[in-house]
Amino acid sequence: QVQLVESWGGLVQGGGSLRLSCAASGRTVMAWFRQAPGKEREFVAAIERSTYYADFVKGRFTISRDHVKNTVFLQMNNLISEDTAVYYCSAPWRPYLSNYKARRNYDYWGQGTQVTVSS
């Protein structure tokens, strides 16, 4: 059983920063998705040997990993109110994906961590 545990969400003012972490399980591909109230869950970023980002976070968010600690991070800078959502850590059972941005390709999910950006 693959367990993913997110942490370090919270409340931040617009323009501020947060760094989310996910205790991973040694999966090759790791990703972050988010879901705002009333909206579909959407791709944010993924990491394998390369990194992949949704257009709306490029230049503001950075995904990284610590292989020794089996942890994946999402550094979020210049946060705006539209970034308010529950953020989920995710992984596929496959070691590689043809489409890192498709939610259907991910099999394991964390419980989510709330990020709230005040304007």
Side-chain angles (χ1 to χ4, degrees):
Q1 183 70 20
V2 175
Q3 288 193 322
L4 305 174
V5 182
E6 305 95 336
S7 56
W8 299 113
L11 174 64
V12 64
Q13 284 191 332
S17 299
L18 279 176
R19 189 190 194 204
L20 306 182
S21 67
C22 173
S25 55
R27 313 302 295 181
T28 304
V29 178
M30 296 294 299
W32 289 94
F33 284 74
R34 70 184 187 185
Q35 188 166 16
K39 294 188 176 181
E40 295 288 320
R41 192 171 298 188
E42 62 182 355
F43 171 80
V44 176
I47 186 168
E48 186 253 315
R49 293 182 181 179
S50 299
T51 55
Y52 308 86
Y53 295 96
D55 289 342
F56 58 78
V57 302
K58 283 181 179 177
R60 299 190 300 126
F61 293 8
T62 303
I63 188 171
S64 62
R65 69 196 305 166
D66 183 329
H67 288 282
V68 174
K69 297 182 178 179
N70 251 350
T71 302
V72 176
F73 304 98
L74 184 67
Q75 177 68 43
M76 305 186 294
N77 299 328
N78 296 320
L79 285 161
I80 59 178
S81 57
E82 289 81 0
D83 294 320
T84 295
V86 177
Y87 283 71
Y88 296 91
C89 182
S90 182
W93 69 264
R94 299 172 186 83
Y96 302 102
L97 297 178
S98 58
N99 183 349
Y100 292 91
K101 299 183 179 182
R103 178 184 170 183
R104 66 179 182 277
N105 289 335
Y106 291 85
D107 306 287
Y108 307 110
W109 298 87
Q111 82 287 354
T113 186
Q114 177 70 46
V115 171
T116 303
V117 183
S118 62
S119 55

